[in-house]
Amino acid sequence: MLRRCAPGSPGPQPVVRALPPSASALRQRLRQWAERIPEAEAVLDLLERCPEHQRKGRFPVIVFEGLDATGKTTVTQAVKDTLNGILLRSPPACISQWRTVFDDKPTPIKRAFYAAGNYILASEIANASTQAPVIIDRYWHSTAAYTIATETSGKVQDLPPAQDEVYQWPEDLLKPDLVLLLTVDPDERVRRLQHRGLEKTKEEAELEANSLFRQRVEESYRRMVNPACQEVDASPSKEEVLKTVLQLIEKHCDF
């Protein structure tokens, strides 16, 4: 992902290849680390088994994005039950056990791990969507939004401009039919987190401690294109949110 600016034009510092732009670039990066990190070799092996240019089946593929405590787990399960669908998550189960390993590694290989997870997940989506509607808890937009927000310092205005190629979906990655971005008021989100009583991830600690980082993540989500995110206010009751979500699915997806 490389932001192109007109010569001499002002603007934020470019996000330069923060994420490998394709599966082939991912394989190359994983190979560079495979000798030092056995888990990188295992991820590479899974990635190389995935067919290129995967196509989804006849059933719709619906992605849910959003920060922690915006209700993704509750909503995805409810939608899965309502549509008699298949629920998948990113990173996929086959590599999620290595998440803590890569979270402690240098940034380039950590990002390669999460990006590779999307391509491995795409193989599962292609198969599952031949059988039933597919509901996904996070996909490429999460990987990209957190990378962009981390690579950019300062305020929302310092993000790469809208229409920048960093917000584009990778050409060789299976696309969903619909992406729903769940949002809640920041104070309500913190209240929900406290109610959970769970240990914070590094990501969540950063979101809570740094409001500018949170704003950059949310705005990056909103700037994603091809496909864009449809924003859903997840503050109301579970029943109301589910009703809104199902209406959007009926509007945008063919069964």
Side-chain angles (χ1 to χ4, degrees):
M1 289 184 176
L2 176 62
R3 176 180 170 272
R4 299 190 182 98
C5 290
S9 64
Q13 188 175 7
V15 179
V16 182
R17 297 293 175 190
L19 279 173
S22 65
S24 61
L26 273 171
R27 287 193 289 269
Q28 182 178 356
R29 184 173 294 186
L30 287 165
R31 286 191 194 101
Q32 293 171 350
W33 290 86
E35 290 186 5
R36 285 170 282 177
I37 305 173
E39 292 84 0
E41 185 172 4
V43 173
L44 176 61
D45 181 59
L46 288 169
L47 184 61
E48 288 183 330
R49 295 182 195 176
C50 297
E52 294 186 12
H53 307 295
Q54 305 201 45
R55 296 182 179 180
K56 76 178 193 68
R58 66 185 183 90
F59 289 95
V61 176
I62 303 141
V63 177
F64 286 84
E65 296 282 7
L67 306 181
D68 285 353
T70 53
K72 290 191 307 301
T73 300
T74 300
V75 174
T76 53
Q77 185 62 51
V79 173
K80 179 254 185 187
D81 293 342
T82 303
L83 300 182
N84 194 25
I86 297 171
L87 178 59
L88 300 175
R89 291 184 174 86
S90 182
C94 60
I95 66 169
S96 60
Q97 72 269 25
W98 300 318
R99 189 171 182 172
T100 54
V101 172
F102 285 93
D103 280 347
D104 289 331
K105 299 300 180 185
T107 298
I109 187 60
K110 178 174 70 173
R111 290 190 178 141
F113 167 74
Y114 283 102
N118 291 296
Y119 284 90
I120 295 168
L121 178 62
S123 183
E124 298 181 5
I125 295 168
N127 179 60
S129 60
T130 65
Q131 306 167 43
V134 181
I135 316 303
I136 308 171
D137 186 341
R138 291 191 173 183
Y139 196 18
W140 178 265
H141 284 345
S142 280
T143 307
Y146 280 92
T147 297
I148 294 165
T150 302
E151 288 290 313
T152 309
S153 60
K155 301 179 180 179
V156 166
Q157 295 92 317
D158 298 311
L159 288 169
Q163 310 308 318
D164 190 289
E165 65 182 279
V166 299
Y167 304 113
Q168 290 278 347
W169 191 269
E171 292 183 0
D172 62 346
L173 181 63
L174 185 150
K175 289 183 184 178
D177 295 285
L178 179 65
V179 182
L180 298 175
L181 174 64
L182 303 184
T183 61
V184 296
D185 177 82
D187 292 336
E188 169 63 15
R189 196 179 68 84
V190 171
R191 186 193 67 77
R192 292 182 182 184
L193 284 168
Q194 292 171 342
H195 182 70
R196 282 182 181 182
L198 299 176
E199 184 178 353
K200 297 183 184 71
T201 62
K202 292 181 181 179
E203 172 186 286
E204 186 52 48
E206 176 70 7
L207 287 170
E208 188 171 324
N210 189 339
S211 62
L212 289 178
F213 178 68
R214 174 182 54 77
Q215 291 168 25
R216 294 198 303 271
V217 172
E218 289 186 325
E219 182 59 25
S220 295
Y221 272 128
R222 294 186 178 106
R223 294 185 184 187
M224 297 294 171
V225 294
N226 193 33
C229 297
Q230 301 283 328
E231 195 164 341
V232 175
D233 180 7
S235 301
S237 68
K238 298 173 185 178
E239 292 76 18
E240 290 178 84
V241 174
L242 178 60
K243 180 180 179 181
T244 299
V245 164
L246 292 174
Q247 288 173 343
L248 285 168
I249 291 172
E250 183 178 2
K251 178 181 178 181
H252 293 279
C253 299
D254 293 326
F255 282 84

